[in-house]
C-alpha cells in the first residue's frame, strides 16, 4: 500500500491502515522522541500520545511536504509538551559569563551514532532538549524560546553549556579509550 493510500484510509478511521501507519513509522519516531525523553517508559507514553494526535489530526495534513516530516513535527511537539509539563527550563548561566569558543571536536566524525545518543542521554534535560532542537531539528533560538517558554539567551546559554559538557564527555571517553 502506498503512503498516499495509507493516509487516505487513515482519514476514514480505518483501523488496519492506522496499524500499518504505526508499524511503518513507530521505530523511527520512537528514536525522535527518545532524543528528548530520558526513560523508555516515558518515551513510549509520548509516542502513543503523539500517534493518537497523528490519527486525530491527519485530516489537516495538506499533502504539501513530506508526510514523515509532518509526523516528526508532531512527535517533537508532543515530546516538548511532556518536558514542559515535567521539567523546568529556567536554569541557565548568563551567556555573558561564558567564554566564547567554538566547539572544535566534531562529534559526528569521532563517535558512532550509538555513542552520540548515549552521550546525549547523559546531558541534563534542558541541555539535551535545546541541543536536539537547535543542532538536530534545525530550530532557531527564537523558535526554541517560544516553544519552551524561555528567553532566547537561556536557549543560547544552554546550547553552549550542552556543547561544553559534550566536549568534556568526549575528552573523558578518549582518555579512557587510550588507557
Amino acid at each position: 500500500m502506498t503512503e498516499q493510500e495509507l493516509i487516505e484510509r487513515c482519514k476514514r478511521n480505518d483501523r488496519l491502515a492506522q496499524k500499518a501507519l504505526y508499524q511503518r513509522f513507530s521505530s523511527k519516531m520512537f528514536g525522535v522522541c527518545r532524543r528528548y525523553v530520558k526513560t523508555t517508559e516515558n518515551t513510549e507514553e509520548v509516542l502513543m500520545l503523539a500517534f493518537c494526535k497523528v490519527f486525530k489530526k491527519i485530516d489537516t495534513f495538506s499533502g504539501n511536504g513530506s508526510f514523515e516530516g509532518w509526523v516528526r513535527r508532531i512527535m517533537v511537539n508532543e515530546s516538548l509538551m511532556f518536558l514542559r509539563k515535567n521539567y523546568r527550563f529556567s536554569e541557565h548561566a548568563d551567556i555573558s559569563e561564558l567564554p566564547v569558543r567554538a566547539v572544535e571536536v566534531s562529534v559526528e566524525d569521532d563517535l558512532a551514532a550509538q555513542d552520540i545518543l548515549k552521550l546525549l542521554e547523559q546531558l541534563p534535560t534542558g541541555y539535551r532538549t535545546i541541543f536536539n532542537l537547535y543542532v538536530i531539528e534545525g530550530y532557531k533560538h527564537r523558535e526554541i524560546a517560544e516553544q519552551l517558554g524561555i528567553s532566547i539567551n537561556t536557549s543560547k546559554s544552554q546550547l553552549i553549556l550542552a556543547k561544553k559538557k559534550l566536549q568534556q564527555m568526549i575528552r573523558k571517553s578518549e582518555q579512557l579509550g587510550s588507557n
Side-chain angles (χ1 to χ4, degrees):
M1 175 178 341
T2 69
E3 186 174 275
Q4 189 56 44
E5 291 170 332
L6 198 55
I7 293 167
E8 290 306 317
R9 287 179 56 189
C10 284
K11 285 181 178 182
R12 294 189 304 268
N13 291 318
D14 179 326
R15 297 291 181 216
L16 291 176
Q18 290 173 338
K19 181 180 179 183
L21 187 133
Y22 176 83
Q23 289 173 335
R24 184 176 289 186
F25 290 105
S26 63
S27 64
K28 184 180 257 186
M29 295 305 142
F30 180 87
V32 169
C33 296
R34 186 72 170 100
R35 284 199 324 264
Y36 293 94
V37 182
K38 256 189 172 169
T39 68
T40 301
E41 296 79 21
N42 288 339
T43 303
E44 289 169 351
E45 178 183 342
V46 168
L47 184 73
M48 288 299 116
L49 291 170
F51 267 108
C52 287
K53 197 165 279 184
V54 165
F55 297 135
K56 185 176 181 180
K57 297 190 176 270
I58 199 160
D59 283 332
T60 66
F61 177 67
S62 64
N64 295 333
S66 149
F67 180 69
E68 182 177 329
W70 182 80
V71 171
R72 179 188 190 91
R73 187 166 205 77
I74 291 173
M75 297 296 156
V76 169
N77 287 336
E78 198 63 37
S79 297
L80 293 177
M81 284 176 40
F82 174 84
L83 292 174
R84 275 193 302 267
K85 189 167 41 170
N86 294 291
Y87 296 97
R88 293 185 47 160
F89 289 98
S90 60
E91 299 170 18
H92 68 283
D94 185 350
I95 197 162
S96 62
E97 297 172 7
L98 296 170
V100 178
R101 283 192 313 189
V103 176
E104 296 173 14
V105 177
S106 171
V107 176
E108 294 82 2
D109 293 340
D110 291 320
L111 300 169
Q114 200 62 15
D115 294 329
I116 295 169
L117 290 176
K118 285 179 185 173
L119 288 176
L120 287 176
E121 287 176 2
Q122 294 175 39
L123 289 175
T125 300
Y127 294 5
R128 186 178 68 254
T129 303
I130 306 286
F131 185 88
N132 279 322
L133 288 170
Y134 188 85
V135 175
I136 297 173
E137 303 293 342
Y139 285 87
K140 304 290 181 221
H141 286 294
R142 178 187 46 76
E143 297 169 310
I144 295 168
E146 289 171 6
Q147 285 270 355
L148 299 177
I150 59 174
S151 73
I152 292 172
N153 280 344
T154 298
S155 177
K156 289 178 180 180
S157 68
Q158 289 211 357
L159 178 63
I160 290 168
L161 293 170
K163 288 179 177 181
K164 187 175 179 180
K165 181 89 169 156
L166 283 170
Q167 256 185 333
Q168 292 168 347
M169 289 189 288
I170 290 168
R171 284 192 187 112
K172 185 177 179 181
S173 130
E174 286 173 347
Q175 289 171 351
L176 292 174
S178 65
N179 288 338

